[in-house]
């Protein structure tokens, strides 16, 4: 999830682009870069690290005056966050410059083709192939708009591309497929941005592009086509938000924005990792198949929400692979002298990749010669760097301190890992794996259907805003969901909340049930190991003692409905995948309740986004 900016007009493009990048820096800050068109050539500058590094560099290098430019702030996906991999990327002769947000799934094939034709690609990115291909097109006589259409037809994956041609000082051309792109319509100037915050200082008139469209902005015009060059239209609208709201895409909190981004984030986590038949392609797992076949134990470590993702993973990985799997809090793991061998796979889950407890735990595992695989959202962070392999979750930057899209994409990465191990070790047939992959592919739509119920969940938060205590119950994969629901409420609303495995109730916690106590109950899908019926019994038990039940169940589950004081309907999904949809109402509830109580949702008291001390 990178930030991209484009400008054509009468102002100094350097200033407009840098200011736009500053507004978009929340989208990624691994590196930043700019390209300007002037005097028939392109001048570009790029630096690893925050935008301030680029600003310092260009103040020293004094970029030339120009009125056409593009810029980029990076959230690394392909290649380490260094100067070379920073955008913009240039074609072989430096005539075309490109910035990109997204993932080009077929870049390896295209790169191969370019290299065989004698091109020297200098970075590890997928983006550079687009720069070379565009340059070939303009060198053979196409204008940049036609070049973009021709190249986009060859690209697979999700992308926003923005390009300039050094020999055409009149235009910036951009294209969009499954990645965000908006045009800002000014007077005598036009803009391109990942979102409106890139240009809201200059204009509030915006044009949203549809899928598979190309837009050309010039000083006085905006023209939209599809990838075949047919004229097309975007949706024009007026932006009412102020600048602060614009960065949050109109949401009041980054956290709420991130909750609503989850369908996209899930889609990105799956992108390019399986083929149409459900065959998994996890190239980033750089542990050989032979070594993966030799693994005799998996230990999953993480802290807080990441640990709950690990708990869900245990159910899935053991079921699909039959490898014994333990889950442990990273800070406990290291100090208990765990038994680790070369055949132990330690899976470290961390959104930030910098959590000290998890980092120390993997260092301990590495010393004991175990294999370490990280599941991480932050490219180039310490935990993946010190691991043997990494599966990036591709959620994009998570700004809200409480993890939301980080968690759901950790679940997706865990499922992919479990299925991949099953594929390599042959513990599941290809068609069985394919069936689960097809279910996963539907998760973005299913998550969206849960988000569509947000108003009802907000009404629930209003109803319960004066409560002092909540319980959360679940079974099987729903148990970690209960723990996560309770954690979200504790950390955001500062309300006492506890999660339990429903079967544990009668062993003590049932004593907590009192008249009117709200109890969230995650009901497993029907038809598996009687879990569903046992959960209904637990609901009846707490209800009989006065609890008020808020039940999350499959949308056509008529058996549980009579025992629900409040019913939240979940899309029908397999048991192991249910946490993806069941967690969302809990996130919405906690976010709204904390808002109603007047708390700072993005920065709850006493917490930090990245816990870099043990
Ligand atoms: C809770 C939350 C924390 C983190 C935990 C681990 O909402 O965000 O519990 O999950 O501190 O952080 P990472 O995943 O960065 O290692």
């Amino acid at each position: 999830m990178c930030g991209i900016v484009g400008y054509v007009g009468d102002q100094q493009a350097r200033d407009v682009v840098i200011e736009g990048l500053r507004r978009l820096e929340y989208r990624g800050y691994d590196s930043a870069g700019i390209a300007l068109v002037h005097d028939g050539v392109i001048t570009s500058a790029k630096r690893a690290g925050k935008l301030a590094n680029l600003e310092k560099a260009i103040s020293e290098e004094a970029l030339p005056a120009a009125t056409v430019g593009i810029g980029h702030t990076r959230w690394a996906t392909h290649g380490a966050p260094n100067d070379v991999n920073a955008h913009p990327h240039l074609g072989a002769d430096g005539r075309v410059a490109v910035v990109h947000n997204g993932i080009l799934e077929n870049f390896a094939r295209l790169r191969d083709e370019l290299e065989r034709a004698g091109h020297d690609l200098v970075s590890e990115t997928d983006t550079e192939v687009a720069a070379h291909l565009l340059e070939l097109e303009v060198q053979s006589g196409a204008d940049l708009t036609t070049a973009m259409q021709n190249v986009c037809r060859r690209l697979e994956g999700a992308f926003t591309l923005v390009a300039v041609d050094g020999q055409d000082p009149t235009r910036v051309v951009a294209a969009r497929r499954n990645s965000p792109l908006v045009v800002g319509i000014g007077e005598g100037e036009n803009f391109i941005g990942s979102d409106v915050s890139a240009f809201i200082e200059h204009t509030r008139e915006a044009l949203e592009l549809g899928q598979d469209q190309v837009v050309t902005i010039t000083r006085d015009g905006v023209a939209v086509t599809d990838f075949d060059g047919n004229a097309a239209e975007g949706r024009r609208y007026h932006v009412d938000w102020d600048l602060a709201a614009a960065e949050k895409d109109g949401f009041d909190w980054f956290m709420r924005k991130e909750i609503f981004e989850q369908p996209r984030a899930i889609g990105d986590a799956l992108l390019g990792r399986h083929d149409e038949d459900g065959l998994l392609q996890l190239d980033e797992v750089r542990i050989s198949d032979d070594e993966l076949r030799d693994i005799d134990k998996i230990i999953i470590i993480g802290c807080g929400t990441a640990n709950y993702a690990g708990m869900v993973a245990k159910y899935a990985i053991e079921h699909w692979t039959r490898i014994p799997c333990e889950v442990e809090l990273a800070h406990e793991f290291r100090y208990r002298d765990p038994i680790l061998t070369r055949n132990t796979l330690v899976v470290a889950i961390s959104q930030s990749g910098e959590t000290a407890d998890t980092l120390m735990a993997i260092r301990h595992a590495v010393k004991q010669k175990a294999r370490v695989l990280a599941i991480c959202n932050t490219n180039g962070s310490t935990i993946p760097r010190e691991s043997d392999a990494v599966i990036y979750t591709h959620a994009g930057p998570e700004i809200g301190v409480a993890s939301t899209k980080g968690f759901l994409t950790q679940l997706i990465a865990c499922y992919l890992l479990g299925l991949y191990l099953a594929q390599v070790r042959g513990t599941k047939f290809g068609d069985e794996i394919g069936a689960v992959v097809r279910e996963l592919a539907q998760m973005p739509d299913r998550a969206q259907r849960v988000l569509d119920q947000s108003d009802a969940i907000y009404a629930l938060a209003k109803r319960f805003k004066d409560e002092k205590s909540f319980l959360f119950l679940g079974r099987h994969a729903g148990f970690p969901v209960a723990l996560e629901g309770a954690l979200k409420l504790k950390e955001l609303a500062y309300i006492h909340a506890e999660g339990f495995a429903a079967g544990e109730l009668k062993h003590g916690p049932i004593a907590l049930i009192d008249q009117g106590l709200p109890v969230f109950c995650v009901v497993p899908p029907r038809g598996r190991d009687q879990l569903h019926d046992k959960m209904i019994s637990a609901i009846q038990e707490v209800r009989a003692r006065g609890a008020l039940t808020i039940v999350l169940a499959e949308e056509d589950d008529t058996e549980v409905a009579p025992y629900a004081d409040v019913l939240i309907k979940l899309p029908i999904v397999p048991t192991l995948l249910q946490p993806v949809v069941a967690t969302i109402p809990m996130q919405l509830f906690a976010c709204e309740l904390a808002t109603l109580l007047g708390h700072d949702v993005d920065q709850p008291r006493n917490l930090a986004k990245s816990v870099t001390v043990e």
Side-chain angles (χ1 to χ4, degrees), residues 303-306 349-353 355 358 401-403 410 487-488 491 609 611:
C303 300
T305 291
I349 306 179
S350 174
Q351 187 285 131
S352 62
T355 299
T358 312
V401 162
S403 191
Q410 283 163 358
L487 177 62
K488 285 288 156 292
E491 64 182 335
K609 183 68 189 157
V611 187

Side-chain angles (χ1 to χ4, degrees), residues 525-547:
R526 284 150 300 167
R528 204 193 130 113
D529 306 333
Q530 303 164 348
L531 279 175
H532 171 266
D533 297 354
K534 290 193 190 304
M535 188 67 205
I536 293 188
S537 304
I539 294 173
Q540 284 174 292
E541 283 161 22
V542 295
R543 211 157 175 262
R545 289 161 177 82

Side-chain angles (χ1 to χ4, degrees), residues 181-185 196 199 205-209 215 222-224 233-237:
L181 176 63
V182 274
V183 177
I185 302 170
V196 296
F199 50 73
E205 293 306 310
L207 183 82
E208 184 185 281
L209 288 199
V215 64
V222 174
V224 183
E233 279 183 21
R235 182 183 70 87
R236 193 164 168 159
Y237 62 104

Side-chain angles (χ1 to χ4, degrees), residues 131-142:
H132 281 245
L133 291 173
L134 281 168
E135 193 171 88
L136 285 175
E137 291 281 337
V138 294
Q139 283 173 336
S140 67

Side-chain angles (χ1 to χ4, degrees), residues 399-538:
I399 313 279
V401 162
S403 191
T404 51
K405 61 178 183 172
F407 176 64
L408 290 203
T409 53
Q410 283 163 358
L411 294 179
I412 300 294
C414 289
Y415 294 137
L416 291 172
L417 173 63
L419 293 169
Y420 185 65
L421 288 171
Q423 179 177 294
V424 171
R425 295 165 67 100
T427 49
K428 285 274 163 209
F429 291 116
D431 54 349
E432 294 172 297
I433 295 172
V436 184
V437 169
R438 275 191 295 283
E439 292 284 348
L440 282 172
Q442 292 182 55
M443 282 299 168
D445 287 345
R446 289 163 172 174
Q448 186 57 52
R449 280 173 47 211
V450 182
L451 289 168
D452 291 345
Q453 300 176 54
S454 59
D455 284 345
I457 293 161
Y458 295 159
L460 205 60
K462 201 164 173 198
R463 173 171 163 195
F464 289 112
K465 82 175 191 345
D466 297 321
E467 293 296 333
K468 297 286 171 271
S469 187
F470 288 82
L471 292 192
F472 291 75
L473 302 179
R475 285 195 82 115
H476 192 261
F479 170 38
V481 175
L483 295 173
E484 172 65 0
L487 177 62
K488 285 288 156 292
L489 209 50
K490 280 185 262 210
E491 64 182 335
L492 296 170
Y494 319 147
I495 292 176
H496 171 250
E498 287 198 59
F500 292 108
E504 190 67 6
L505 261 188
K506 53 190 174 301
H507 300 289
I510 201 161
L512 287 169
I513 307 291
D514 206 351
Q515 202 57 38
L517 179 77
V519 181
F520 280 84
C521 308
V522 185
V523 181
R526 284 150 300 167
R528 204 193 130 113
D529 306 333
Q530 303 164 348
L531 279 175
H532 171 266
D533 297 354
K534 290 193 190 304
M535 188 67 205
I536 293 188
S537 304

Side-chain angles (χ1 to χ4, degrees), residues 142-452:
D143 61 36
L144 189 58
T145 305
T146 312
M148 185 66 92
Q149 292 156 356
N150 293 345
V151 170
C152 283
R153 288 199 301 274
R154 301 194 59 198
L155 300 179
E156 290 165 18
F159 50 86
T160 304
L161 290 167
V162 186
V164 283
D165 174 358
Q167 295 182 16
D168 183 352
T170 63
R171 69 177 95 192
V172 173
V173 178
R176 166 174 193 232
R177 170 180 285 166
N178 286 326
S179 266
L181 176 63
V182 274
V183 177
I185 302 170
E187 296 204 351
E189 58 184 357
N190 286 302
F191 307 80
I192 278 167
S194 302
D195 63 49
V196 296
S197 58
F199 50 73
I200 200 168
E201 277 180 305
H202 304 282
T203 178
R204 284 170 179 255
E205 293 306 310
L207 183 82
E208 184 185 281
L209 288 199
Q211 286 306 345
D212 288 8
Q213 290 188 341
V214 170
V215 64
T216 303
I217 61 165
T218 57
R219 191 181 168 285
D220 297 309
V222 174
V224 183
T225 69
D226 61 20
F227 286 176
D228 291 321
N230 304 309
E233 279 183 21
R235 182 183 70 87
R236 193 164 168 159
Y237 62 104
H238 180 78
V239 182
D240 297 321
W241 310 326
D242 62 15
L243 197 53
E247 278 171 2
K248 296 182 193 127
D249 225 1
F251 289 97
D252 50 353
W253 303 111
F254 277 110
M255 180 190 173
R256 206 186 302 266
K257 171 172 176 277
E258 287 158 7
I259 293 173
F260 279 87
E261 276 172 3
Q262 290 180 121
R264 194 271 310 147
I266 297 168
D268 283 356
L270 289 165
L271 198 68
R273 286 172 164 166
H274 62 86
D275 69 11
E276 279 172 12
D277 301 324
L279 190 75
L280 291 153
Q281 299 153 328
L282 290 187
D283 302 340
E284 60 259 71
V285 177
R286 294 179 309 254
I287 302 175
S288 73
D289 286 2
D290 280 344
E291 284 172 297
L292 290 178
R293 277 190 277 270
D294 284 344
I295 287 166
D296 56 17
K297 180 166 73 169
I298 296 177
I299 305 180
I300 307 177
I301 54 172
C303 300
T305 291
N307 178 57
Y308 301 149
M311 290 174 70
V312 175
K314 173 186 160 74
Y315 291 100
I317 292 176
E318 281 193 342
H319 182 68
W320 291 330
T321 69
R322 310 313 295 156
I323 307 173
C325 189
E326 298 168 19
V327 190
E328 191 149 8
L329 291 163
H331 35 90
E332 290 294 316
F333 165 81
R334 185 183 161 204
Y335 295 101
R336 73 166 168 89
D337 193 17
I339 302 162
L340 303 168
T341 69
R342 276 200 78 77
N343 294 339
T344 309
L345 178 68
V346 173
V347 178
I349 306 179
S350 174
Q351 187 285 131
S352 62
E354 300 293 349
T355 299
D357 290 318
T358 312
L359 178 60
M360 295 307 155
I362 66 161
R363 284 185 180 158
H364 182 76
V366 168
K367 259 196 216 139
Q368 310 291 312
K369 307 272 185 277
R371 298 267 157 222
V372 178
L373 182 145
I375 289 181
C376 184
N377 193 35
T378 312
N379 199 304
S381 56
T382 314
I383 290 172
R385 275 209 318 267
E386 297 197 12
S387 301
D388 296 303
V390 54
I391 300 178
Y392 282 111
T393 52
H394 297 319
E398 195 175 59
I399 313 279
V401 162
S403 191
T404 51
K405 61 178 183 172
F407 176 64
L408 290 203
T409 53
Q410 283 163 358
L411 294 179
I412 300 294
C414 289
Y415 294 137
L416 291 172
L417 173 63
L419 293 169
Y420 185 65
L421 288 171
Q423 179 177 294
V424 171
R425 295 165 67 100
T427 49
K428 285 274 163 209
F429 291 116
D431 54 349
E432 294 172 297
I433 295 172
V436 184
V437 169
R438 275 191 295 283
E439 292 284 348
L440 282 172
Q442 292 182 55
M443 282 299 168
D445 287 345
R446 289 163 172 174
Q448 186 57 52
R449 280 173 47 211
V450 182
L451 289 168
D452 291 345

